[in-house]
Amino acid sequence: IQLLEYDQVGCQMFLYMTAQQAAEKWGVTVRRVQEYCTDGRVPGAVKHASVWAIPQNAEKPEKLTAGPKKKDKDLHLNN
């Protein structure tokens, strides 16, 4: 996988960031970024050994919404 490329004047440009860098950029913990990646919620993120490579242009995944709540009558035992 190509982790860097060169711009028009020959300077290196990194195409990926670490989970630590993504955490700082998105305002979340490193563990949360790792969970996003593991769950497939960060397009283009790849894992090399134990390190996630996350595209620099990746957006923070949206929060997941909870499913429908169970009705109270389903939670109580009939006496």
Side-chain angles (χ1 to χ4, degrees), residues 5-23:
E5 67 179 18
Y6 294 91
D7 65 10
Q8 293 177 352
V9 291
C11 295
Q12 291 181 350
M13 294 178 13
F14 291 92
L15 301 176
Y16 290 87
M17 59 185 162
T18 64
Q20 176 67 43
Q21 292 168 322

Side-chain angles (χ1 to χ4, degrees), residues 25-67:
K25 179 178 176 182
W26 296 342
V28 297
T29 64
V30 173
R31 181 67 186 127
R32 177 67 65 203
V33 172
Q34 293 168 339
E35 289 171 352
Y36 289 154
C37 294
T38 299
D39 294 345
R41 296 180 59 203
V42 182
V46 291
K47 192 171 187 181
H48 298 282
S50 62
V51 178
W52 282 100
I54 301 162
Q56 280 191 342
N57 62 349
E59 298 288 331
K60 178 182 173 184
E62 295 290 325
K63 288 185 177 182
L64 296 177
T65 58

Side-chain angles (χ1 to χ4, degrees), residues 64-72 74-75:
L64 296 177
T65 58
K69 293 183 178 181
K70 291 186 177 186
K71 295 180 181 178
D72 284 340
D74 295 337
L75 299 176

